[in-house]
Amino acid sequence: MGWGGGRVLRDRNVVFYLSGVVVSGFGSSAMTLAAGVWTKSLTGSDSLAALTTFCVWAPILFGPLIGTLADRARRRPLLIWTNLGVAVVLLPLLTVRSSNQIWILFAVLIVYGTSSVLLDAAEAALVATAVPETLRGDFNGLRLTANEGMKLVAPLLGALLFVQFGGAAVALLDAVTFVLAATAFVLIRVSEPVPRRAEARRWSTQAAEGIRCLRDHPVLWRLVLAGAATMGVAGLNGASVYAVVDAGLHRPPAFAGVLYAVQGIGSVVIGLFAGALLRRVPERVFAAAGIMLFAMGVALRVVPSIPVVLSASAMIGAGLPCVLIAALTAVQRESPGNVLGRVAATANTLLYAPNAVALAAGAGLLALVDYRVILLVAGTAAVITAGRCLLGSRGRTHVAVAGEISCGRQRTDR
């Protein structure tokens, strides 16, 4: 019943797996921030700076399609070669010197985002083979802590590296981290069967089954919709960050790294206590409380005060993960085991795709509307979402499993 982190870290595969994820996550966090700062510095445009994040997120819109590749190949070789491929793709960024070459950055970021979706799918699938079942819960918690820790450190170091040596240096660092990640996956010992082609050809049918199971489950569907709406608001908030730094705080673009770091602190804190809170309150209450905290943080960013904006960033970091944790925890518990992967993949696409769409919309709106109006409207939308989530279906719902696929027949026992 106690903390299982010690047992997790004694497993050889877990150590190398976490090393690969953490190292590549560090490089990705640094590069994502540097891309926006780089674009802002070369073009002076808040909209184009926000569009860099959209390029990274946009491929999630095609998540089910990209994710099927992880079921058509052995996962460890796929992870190794994809990480090496990303390292090569990053090298053209070493040539970017002016605003006329900014298209190279955007092209690389689109490939970068596509590979991230594929890597996430392959990593999630490899866990079932590489990590013992008794350690997976502790492993997932440790992975979340490590990822949030990287998001806390990497943006600051990425911003510092950009200021001192420019964007090419950050791109080179990111390429090195992907090579190190590939090396870590090489060292994992795992025996994977070659996927059967008959199953691989059924990807569209299997994806439809996952969508149907999620849609027919009232509790899961409501939580995922609440998460999708919240992530849409998060996209508008993310698109406005450089405007907040420039017009609101009158700081250089690199100061966005400080805001992201403070936001990371909030995420680390909620990650430590989320499990205990979810054991005490229903998911809908936990999610609604987090959305409300997130909404207040978004609205407070209109205040032209560094202490207030820093506090707002911490609130955003602590509040935003709540609905995501609640939705994904419910998916893991409520979905039949034989369709869990498809339901989880569908939920991830529905949860994160609105962020990509809203980032693009926010980038366009910034050219037409004051960023403070965008943030206030976004905060109001989040409050409405919290209310709808809190007033939704009560109780914990369980799926009755019968046969190969059984979705949509639920019973409430609480």
Side-chain angles (χ1 to χ4, degrees):
M1 295 297 291
W3 186 65
R7 290 186 297 122
V8 169
L9 294 177
R10 286 195 293 270
D11 184 276
R12 181 181 186 277
N13 278 344
V14 168
V15 171
F16 287 122
Y17 186 100
L18 281 176
S19 298
V21 171
V22 168
V23 168
S24 62
F26 174 85
S28 296
S29 296
M31 186 64 214
T32 300
L33 172 68
V37 178
W38 198 352
T39 301
K40 171 71 174 178
S41 299
L42 289 177
T43 67
S45 171
D46 290 328
S47 296
L48 287 178
L51 199 58
T52 60
T53 309
F54 168 74
C55 289
V56 175
W57 278 93
I60 195 69
L61 296 169
F62 306 97
L65 179 61
I66 298 171
T68 57
L69 295 176
D71 294 327
R72 294 171 179 259
R74 289 183 297 140
R75 282 63 180 255
R76 190 177 73 106
L78 181 62
L79 286 168
I80 294 169
W81 288 108
T82 302
N83 275 287
L84 291 175
V86 175
V88 173
V89 166
L90 285 165
L91 296 182
L93 294 181
L94 302 181
T95 66
V96 176
R97 294 288 187 273
S98 68
S99 59
N100 293 331
Q101 297 172 303
I102 202 67
W103 66 269
I104 298 176
L105 176 59
F106 285 110
V108 169
L109 290 177
I110 292 173
V111 177
Y112 193 91
T114 302
S115 66
S116 296
V117 176
L118 179 58
L119 287 171
D120 286 344
E123 288 170 5
L126 185 64
V127 168
T129 305
V131 180
E133 183 176 358
T134 56
L135 297 181
R136 287 176 199 162
D138 298 306
F139 167 84
N140 288 328
L142 193 58
R143 181 185 178 185
L144 174 63
T145 300
N147 279 340
E148 293 304 324
M150 288 302 97
K151 292 177 184 178
L152 176 61
V153 176
L156 285 174
L157 293 181
L160 179 62
L161 188 63
F162 178 86
V163 170
Q164 293 296 322
F165 303 104
V170 182
L172 184 60
L173 170 66
D174 196 17
V176 171
T177 64
F178 277 103
V179 172
L180 293 176
T183 303
F185 287 118
V186 167
L187 297 173
I188 291 178
R189 295 173 181 171
V190 61
S191 177
E192 292 184 277
V194 178
R196 290 182 292 178
R197 293 186 180 276
E199 291 183 353
R201 287 195 297 269
R202 297 177 53 212
W203 68 267
S204 58
T205 301
Q206 292 173 338
E209 290 168 347
I211 294 171
R212 186 176 68 251
C213 288
L214 184 62
R215 182 195 60 205
D216 291 345
H217 195 301
V219 171
L220 296 185
W221 187 239
R222 185 176 291 275
L223 278 172
V224 169
L225 288 182
T230 306
M231 288 300 289
V233 172
L236 295 176
N237 172 70
S240 303
V241 66
Y242 292 102
V244 170
V245 170
D246 183 15
L249 303 180
H250 305 292
R251 296 289 175 175
F255 190 75
V258 178
L259 300 187
Y260 282 123
V262 174
Q263 184 172 321
I265 293 174
S267 297
V268 168
V269 171
I270 197 61
L272 293 174
F273 296 102
L277 291 171
L278 280 171
R279 285 191 290 271
R280 289 167 172 78
V281 299
E283 281 101 350
R284 63 182 180 83
V285 175
F286 178 69
I291 297 171
M292 283 295 299
L293 183 62
F294 166 74
M296 290 188 291
V298 170
L300 284 174
R301 276 191 162 179
V302 304
V303 180
S305 165
I306 290 179
V308 172
V309 171
L310 290 176
S311 299
S313 295
M315 294 167 68
I316 291 169
L320 181 58
C322 293
V323 66
L324 303 178
I325 294 170
L328 294 178
T329 299
V331 164
Q332 292 172 346
R333 187 188 65 249
E334 305 290 349
S335 304
N338 58 300
V339 295
L340 176 57
R342 280 162 279 168
V343 174
T346 302
N348 279 334
T349 297
L350 292 174
L351 285 170
Y352 295 107
N355 188 267
V357 175
L359 278 167
L365 284 172
L366 280 171
L368 304 172
V369 183
D370 190 286
Y371 78 94
R372 291 167 294 188
V373 175
I374 295 175
L375 289 175
L376 289 175
V377 171
T380 301
V383 170
I384 295 172
T385 300
R388 291 179 63 85
C389 182
L390 188 61
L391 298 175
S393 301
R394 297 177 179 272
R396 297 187 186 269
T397 305
H398 296 260
V399 177
V401 181
E404 182 183 356
I405 301 278
S406 179
C407 306
R409 300 199 305 274
Q410 299 90 18
R411 63 181 175 84
T412 300
D413 61 2
R414 173 178 158 178

